[in-house]
């Protein structure tokens, strides 16, 4: 039987396990990436593993998230990452070089290789046929040390794109349509592969928009074949020798096939506060807009920016709108400056930001109270912009730009022909902001600022686990609810004790206080708990507050791995109706916890007793035997030590 694209890459990198959907496999990682807001923790953990030099083919440490420097914290963390990278053989992408995913696909990604990144949008490099997966910092630290990356073998979903996009319909609309169909939990446990004649007309940046936002499906990753389009892109990046052709066999078997006729797609929008809350732009036409943000790792390529500049040329941004634009990388920024497109943006009144995540993660440009903000980002989670009452809508750069000019949403279909931009034959290549690690690292001293505080490490799982229910939460709780990130909190990513005081506060402001008063306990969540970011802080902050187990209807992949890596039990209700029976501050109890967790790896249920209400209920812990031992040891760091 033939193989899918990802099955081919996985089998070429397989270290252990059988490639049957759902069983645990481990693979060799060729490349890693970190960014600064998860990177500080990842490097502290890498140092704790005590391996002198990375063992990957390539590891890059990017600075792109914590770019506002309103105190010493972020600059200190930049210095720590720069020096720790130099010490351990890691390339350092300086602040100003761009958003990790945009730079990585331009300069480093290789079709057919594996990439593990401490950021959930790492799958962006699937746009050039790389198997690129987002993970928690600790998993990335282990991979940097040459250790295998463990994952559950995903199911295979094929999305067949047929025909060509109509004018004004874009790659953003393709992924918004996929999100509408599959929903934010529809991709959990799956890899999404793109196929069909429609992909021939999609450039690498367009493909990358789609694989990037595949993270919002909860998918393990998304991937396109590596073909002529990929070859031309790599050639234009001066990297022709990195090209390898890669496609699925014609008799490859998929667990699920979704067909999309591109010619029927019209401009789409994801309404607040979920990326799958998708309708046609025509349905919100006329909505008054306060802010427009163009950029982020989703739509910040040169092609995106040139379209924006063409639409802005000779126009003025509407009086009531603040338009901010952040080009995705130095390459993009530089080329915009050289061809004059940047001048068109500036002349129109756009506020140009440096190449960074910026508004996407609430690092500045928080909109006004109750604002309507149109963004080309990939996430519109509640309060993520830094203004809880703001309403963020996700759209293509074209729809965003037209709204910035008109002051209200307009359906571009009524705006004549869209600008036609073609891919340049060669990009401007200047990697002078990528610092190579020295051959001799003896002289290098790792510089640690005062903001770096010891992170919590769990202890061995006790025989009996008990505690009160500290929070009762609904479906689709995101990592932005669990560990909010904005300009005020992001500087404290290396200070978990400080962050813990904000844990879950967007959903339940009293949670940290309640957790402390009760010396920790249990969190109860709904479906798809922990969707979104790879931030380990969403496990570390609860750990700091003494959380022992999280019981939900279902988990998002990366967050569940982060809970296990930190020794917090991830349990799901065997009978979903038990979710409705629990009330806040009920006393829960798991007896014989070690034994029960070992049996859980053999598909047995874990019994939890509700002492307050006097009943027991069954839960499932979907783990491998290895993960059971990690949980019993009190997390991956402790477990690794037991291996000697
Ligand atoms: C995000 O988009 O939510 C982030 C910020 O990039 C996160 C990483 C983080 O929390 O630092 C992600 O996507 O993993
Ligand atoms: Fe940065 Fe936003 Fe992309 Fe996350 S989603 S990497 S915050 S630009």
């Amino acid at each position: 039987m033939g193989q899918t694209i990802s099955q081919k890459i996985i089998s070429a990198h397989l270290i252990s396990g059988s490639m049957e959907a759902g069983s645990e496999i481990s693979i060799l990682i060729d490349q890693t990436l970190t960014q600064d807001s998860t990177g500080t923790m990842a490097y502290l953990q890498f140092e704790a593993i005590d391996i002198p030099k990375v063992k990957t083919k390539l590891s890059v440490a990017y600075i792109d998230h914590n770019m506002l420097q309103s105190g010493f914290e972020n600059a200190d963390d930049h210095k720590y990452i720069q020096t720790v990278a130099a010490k351990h053989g890691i390339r350092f992408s300086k602040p100003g070089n761009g958003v990790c995913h945009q730079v990585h696909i331009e300069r480093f990604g290789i079709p057919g290789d594996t990439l593990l990144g401490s950021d959930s949008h790492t799958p962006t490099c699937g746009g050039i046929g790389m198997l690129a997966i987002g993970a928690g910092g600790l998993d990335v630290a282990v991979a940097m040390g040459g250790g295998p990356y463990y994952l559950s073998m995903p199911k295979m979903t094929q999305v067949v794109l047929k025909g060509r996009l109509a004018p004004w319909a874009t790659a953003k609309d393709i992924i918004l349509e996929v999100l509408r169909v599959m929903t934010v939990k529809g991709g959990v446990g799956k890899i999404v592969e793109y196929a069909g004649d429609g992909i021939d007309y999609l450039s690498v940046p367009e493909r990358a928009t789609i694989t990037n936002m595949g993270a919002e499906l909860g998918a393990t990753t998304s991937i396109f074949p590596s073909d002529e389009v990929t070859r031309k892109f790599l050639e234009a990046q001066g990297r022709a020798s990195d090209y390898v052709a890669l496609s699925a066999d014609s008799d490859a078997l998929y667990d699920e096939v979704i067909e999309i006729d591109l010619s029927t797609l019209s401009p789409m929008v994801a309404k607040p506060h979920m990326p799958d809350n998708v309708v046609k732009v025509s349905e919100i036409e006329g909505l008054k807009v306060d802010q427009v943000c163009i950029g982020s790792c989703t739509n910040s390529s040169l092609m995106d920016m040139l379209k924006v500049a063409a639409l802005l040329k000779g126009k003025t941004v509407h009086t009531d709108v603040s338009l901010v634009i952040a080009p995705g990388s130095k390459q993009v920024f530089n080329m915009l400056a050289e061809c004059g497109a940047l001048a068109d943006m500036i002349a129109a009144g756009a506020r140009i930001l440096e190449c960074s995540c910026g508004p996407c993660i609430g690092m500045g440009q928080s909109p006004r109270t109750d604002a309507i903000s149109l963004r080309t980002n990939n996430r519109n989670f509640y309060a993520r912009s830094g203004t809880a009452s703001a309403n963020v809508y996700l759209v293509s750069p074209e729809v965003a730009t037209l709204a910035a000019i008109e002051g209200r949403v307009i359906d571009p279909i009524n705006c004549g022909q869209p600008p036609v931009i073609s891919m340049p034959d060669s990009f401007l290549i200047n990697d002078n902001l990528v610092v190579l690690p020295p051959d001799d690292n003896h002289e290098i001293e790792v510089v640690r600022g005062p903001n770096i505080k010891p992170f919590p490490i769990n202890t061995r799982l006790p025989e009996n686990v008990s505690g009160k229910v500290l929070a009762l939460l609904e479906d689709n709780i995101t990592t932005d609810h669990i560990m909010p990130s904005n300009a005020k909190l992001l500087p404290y990513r290396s200070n978990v004790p400080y962050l813990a005081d904000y844990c879950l506060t967007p959903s339940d402001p009293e949670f940290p206080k309640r957790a402390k008063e009760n010396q920790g306990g249990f969190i109860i969540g709904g479906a798809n708990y922990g969707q979104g970011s790879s931030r380990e802080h969403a496990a570390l902050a609860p750990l700091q507050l003494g959380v022992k187990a999280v019981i939900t209807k279902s988990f998002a992949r990366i967050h569940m791995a982060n809970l296990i890596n930190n020794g917090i039990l991830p349990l799901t209700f065997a009978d979903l109706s038990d979710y409705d029976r629990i009330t806040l501050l009920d006393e829960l109890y798991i007896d014989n916890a070690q034994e029960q967790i070992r049996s859980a790896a053999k598909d047995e249920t874990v019994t939890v007793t509700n002492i307050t209400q006097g009943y027991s209920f069954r839960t499932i812990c979907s783990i491998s035997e290895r993960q059971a031992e990690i949980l019993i040891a009190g997390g991956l760091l402790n477990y690794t030590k037991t291996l000697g």
Side-chain angles (χ1 to χ4, degrees), residues 35 37-38 65 119-120 361 379 384 493 533-535:
Q35 40 85 340
S37 65
T38 54
H65 282 62
D119 191 280
S120 66
I361 185 61
R379 291 188 171 145
R384 183 174 161 102
R493 281 291 182 95
S533 157
S534 67
R535 64 188 71 143

Side-chain angles (χ1 to χ4, degrees), residues 291-313:
Q291 183 193 48
V292 173
C293 300
I294 299 176
S296 89
C297 58
T298 331
N299 280 105
S300 60
S301 70
L302 181 70
M303 313 290 287
D304 286 313
M305 292 292 151
L306 288 175
K307 283 182 203 158
V308 170
L311 290 171
L312 285 176
K313 194 176 169 74

Side-chain angles (χ1 to χ4, degrees), residues 35-39 64-66 99-101 117-122 134-135 215-216 297 357 360-361 378-379 381 384 479-480 483-485 490 493 531-538 558:
Q35 40 85 340
D36 45 343
S37 65
T38 54
D64 54 2
H65 282 62
N66 292 346
V99 182
C100 55
H101 309 303
S118 66
D119 191 280
S120 66
H121 290 104
T122 303
E216 275 52 72
C297 58
C357 301
C360 175
I361 185 61
N378 42 36
R379 291 188 171 145
F381 298 151
R384 183 174 161 102
T479 44
D480 281 303
M483 193 57 264
S485 279
L490 219 51
R493 281 291 182 95
Q531 69 159 315
S533 157
S534 67
R535 64 188 71 143
E536 248 184 326
H537 305 76
I558 308 180

Side-chain angles (χ1 to χ4, degrees), residues 262-384:
L262 297 186
S263 66
T264 63
L265 287 189
S266 43
M268 312 278 246
V269 51
K271 298 197 296 180
H273 296 286
M274 249 338 121
D276 64 356
N277 193 8
V278 173
V279 298
K280 289 182 178 166
V281 165
S282 55
E283 290 183 33
I284 61 158
E285 196 163 19
L287 184 71
K288 251 180 110 337
V289 170
D290 302 287
Q291 183 193 48
V292 173
C293 300
I294 299 176
S296 89
C297 58
T298 331
N299 280 105
S300 60
S301 70
L302 181 70
M303 313 290 287
D304 286 313
M305 292 292 151
L306 288 175
K307 283 182 203 158
V308 170
L311 290 171
L312 285 176
K313 194 176 169 74
K315 301 274 176 15
T316 298
V317 172
H318 191 275
T319 332
D320 296 332
V321 176
S322 166
L323 168 66
V324 292
I325 301 178
S329 69
K330 172 170 164 275
Q331 181 183 78
V332 174
F333 210 170
N334 222 333
M335 289 181 80
L336 288 176
E338 284 200 344
C339 73
L342 185 61
D344 294 332
M345 292 173 167
I346 296 170
R351 302 165 67 181
I352 310 295
L353 303 180
E354 62 178 326
C355 316
S356 70
C357 301
C360 175
I361 185 61
M363 285 301 268
Q365 302 300 328
S366 296
R368 72 165 176 82
T369 305
D370 298 336
I372 300 292
S373 177
L374 249 60
R375 299 178 170 212
T376 65
N377 307 350
N378 42 36
R379 291 188 171 145
N380 57 350
F381 298 151
Y382 171 70
R384 183 174 161 102

